[in-house]
Amino acid sequence: MTTGASTPTTPTYPARPPRSRLRTFLPLGVAAWLVLEIWLLTVVAGAAGGFAVFLLLVAGFVAGSAVVKRAGRRAFRNLSETLQAQQSGTAPTTGRGNGNGWMMLGGLLLMLPGLISDALGLLLLLPPLQKALSAYAERTIERKLREATPGTLGDAFQQARMHQPDGKVVQGEVIRDETPGSGEAPRGPRPSLDS
């Protein structure tokens, strides 16, 4: 039995970082989107009939799969052209930001059942909107990388990123195998690396 007053112990757990707004409102947004999609499908089914809605959903899935297939083929063709150009020693001719990612996202939205997702998917297939979204995404990523604090993933990505235009400079560290005080590397046969 202890006779002294015990001191209250505080937990030694680290403080939990505050929850971001995205993590707070994303589930609510997804739930609202699902309710809106279901409501819109029932309204259209009441006006045009259930079979028309079924045909609309099937047509959206078929069109979306065709768009995803086309974007995938285009991305693979661009990749093979870039690899062939690099192997031959010439600069690749394909430009950055040709919209394959936005086209694939548009196709996936078309494949999802729902009229709002179909409308968004069709909008993402428009080239001017793809270019605008690509420019916005690039600016946002660049700004986030500039604002990266030390010790974060963005900082690690920024440090690993190369800024040389030719891409031939590899950042690294030189380690010399020298004996202390001699000033030159030891001569003679080196051990085999196959052991």
Side-chain angles (χ1 to χ4, degrees):
M1 183 165 145
T2 59
T3 58
S6 64
T7 59
T9 59
T10 58
T12 58
Y13 305 114
R16 180 180 288 180
R19 195 169 184 174
S20 69
R21 286 189 295 172
L22 179 68
R23 286 188 58 199
T24 302
F25 293 116
L26 184 65
L28 295 173
V30 169
W33 172 66
L34 288 174
V35 168
L36 189 62
E37 287 278 18
I38 291 169
W39 175 77
L40 193 59
L41 283 174
T42 57
V43 168
V44 172
F51 188 68
V53 170
F54 176 73
L55 287 178
L56 191 62
L57 294 176
V58 169
F61 184 81
V62 170
S65 61
V67 167
V68 168
K69 184 177 180 180
R70 180 173 176 230
R73 283 184 177 172
R74 196 164 87 176
F76 186 74
R77 185 179 62 241
N78 289 343
L79 176 67
S80 63
E81 287 173 1
T82 302
L83 288 176
Q84 287 175 355
Q86 286 180 349
Q87 287 176 351
S88 66
T90 61
T93 58
T94 57
R96 285 179 56 193
N98 52 8
N100 281 335
W102 297 114
M103 188 177 281
M104 281 194 179
L105 182 61
L108 288 174
L109 285 173
L110 280 171
M111 290 172 70
L112 286 177
L115 299 176
I116 297 172
S117 62
D118 288 349
L120 289 175
L122 287 173
L123 282 176
L124 284 177
L125 296 180
L126 300 174
L129 186 63
Q130 290 176 355
K131 288 180 183 178
L133 287 174
S134 294
Y136 175 74
E138 188 173 338
R139 283 192 313 266
T140 303
I141 290 172
E142 288 291 329
R143 185 187 48 159
K144 292 286 185 186
L145 286 177
R146 281 193 308 269
E147 296 171 357
T149 58
T152 61
L153 182 62
D155 178 48
F157 183 73
Q158 182 68 22
Q159 289 178 2
R161 199 166 157 215
M162 293 177 44
H163 295 283
Q164 288 76 20
D166 60 354
K168 294 181 181 175
V169 176
V170 177
Q171 299 172 355
E173 181 178 333
V174 176
I175 300 174
R176 293 189 179 149
D177 189 21
E178 298 177 351
T179 57
S182 69
E184 68 178 49
R187 305 226 181 245
R190 294 185 178 247
S192 172
L193 298 176
D194 296 330
S195 39

